[in-house]
Amino acid sequence: MLKLENICYSVGDVNIINGISLEIDERFVAITGPNGSGKSTLAKIIAGIITPTSGKIYFDGEDITDMSITDRANKGISFAFQQPVRFKGITVKDLISLASGKKLTIAEACEYLSEVGLCARDYINREVNASLSGGELKRIEIAMINARGTKLSVFDEPEAGIDLWSFQNLIKVFEKMYEKNKGSILIISHQERILDIADKIVVLKAGQIDKIGSKDEIMPSLLGVDTGCRYVKEEK
């Protein structure tokens, strides 16, 4: 589905991504690593928010390296920001309808909200503005990605800001999303409980792939080692 070939990204003399080659076609793929390792930058390169300095990106065999974020979205790539965007003057229902590409009924929009743990009647007609908390916006954005139903859904730290909503519910949303769309879900995360559902884990370090493999292969090497990540369980 998605293939990265020798992707590099630099800002001035600083190399942020250094020659990453990666294929993604599994159900759940998690990218993790220390802060500053290039995780979010790589996610934005995949989405088309950032253009790589060099290298190629293929989606379903088509070269999308120079495609805009809009063109990639039309091809079937969704992206959820670490800090969701606010849209003053547009309601939650309208936003979910836009994401789905069709005019949803109130009942259909409410179903998407209910799946992410929001009481639909309290949110369906609210504006997506400063009155919503970061955690509420994060859940609404996840509902939007679910409504889009794309081949590849990229989530940058989806657990951020949703402390009052259990990780188990978040994982259930991802599992239902896969059952519905049969596409790949790529998750940037430090959280062990999210990494635990991954079919493939990619560990970045200094802008390069440090480790890659199945959960059973990678998790033992992560736990108990001080990498600067929140999943670390340092032994005394």
Side-chain angles (χ1 to χ4, degrees):
M1 178 183 290
L2 183 74
K3 184 177 182 181
L4 310 180
E5 287 188 353
N6 198 30
I7 295 296
C8 297
Y9 179 70
S10 302
V11 176
D13 296 330
V14 179
N15 297 322
I16 299 174
I17 300 294
N18 299 296
I20 288 181
S21 295
L22 177 65
E23 292 191 32
I24 294 171
D25 57 13
E26 292 84 359
R27 180 185 57 160
F28 296 117
V29 177
I31 296 180
T32 192
N35 293 330
S37 59
K39 304 182 300 297
S40 292
T41 299
L42 185 62
K44 290 175 181 176
I45 287 172
I46 291 170
I49 298 169
I50 295 174
T51 301
T53 306
S54 61
K56 292 290 185 181
I57 305 171
Y58 298 93
F59 186 61
D60 283 345
E62 180 179 5
D63 187 347
I64 64 168
T65 310
D66 297 320
M67 281 189 184
S68 68
I69 186 172
T70 301
D71 290 336
R72 294 188 198 198
N74 290 333
K75 291 289 182 181
I77 298 176
S78 294
F79 180 77
F81 290 87
Q82 187 174 350
Q83 298 293 331
V85 179
R86 298 177 188 271
F87 298 91
K88 187 176 180 180
I90 188 170
T91 67
V92 172
K93 178 182 180 295
D94 290 339
L95 196 60
I96 295 176
S97 291
L98 285 171
S100 71
K102 60 184 179 181
K103 188 174 179 62
L104 296 178
T105 65
I106 290 179
E108 289 170 330
C110 285
E111 184 176 349
Y112 286 116
L113 289 174
S114 296
E115 287 182 0
V116 296
L118 295 177
C119 180
R121 68 174 179 270
D122 294 336
Y123 290 91
I124 196 69
N125 292 315
R126 287 181 65 178
E127 284 192 18
V128 187
N129 55 24
S131 69
L132 294 171
S133 70
E136 290 168 330
L137 283 170
K138 177 71 77 171
R139 290 197 239 180
I140 290 167
E141 187 176 48
I142 293 171
M144 289 170 56
I145 300 297
N146 196 12
R148 285 207 72 214
T150 49
K151 288 184 178 180
L152 176 63
S153 300
V154 183
F155 293 90
D156 191 358
E157 296 198 21
E159 70 275 10
I162 57 170
D163 296 338
L164 297 179
W165 190 47
S166 73
F167 281 101
Q168 194 59 43
N169 286 334
L170 180 61
I171 290 167
K172 286 179 181 178
V173 170
F174 289 144
E175 290 173 340
K176 288 180 68 174
M177 190 180 299
Y178 173 76
E179 289 302 319
K180 174 185 172 185
N181 304 322
K182 302 300 182 184
S184 292
I185 298 175
L186 175 62
I187 307 172
I188 310 297
S189 182
H190 290 145
Q191 291 291 343
E192 180 188 352
R193 282 170 287 185
I194 289 181
L195 299 182
D196 198 50
I197 69 169
D199 301 303
K200 177 192 287 183
I201 297 176
V202 181
V203 183
L204 298 189
K205 184 177 181 180
Q208 296 179 311
I209 294 178
D210 183 50
K211 301 180 181 71
I212 186 169
S214 68
K215 174 185 66 178
D216 291 339
E217 293 170 325
I218 301 300
M219 287 297 284
S221 69
L222 295 178
L223 299 176
V225 179
D226 186 5
T227 64
C229 298
R230 282 170 286 174
Y231 52 71
V232 168
K233 295 180 179 178
E234 185 177 355
E235 295 183 2
K236 303 295 183 182

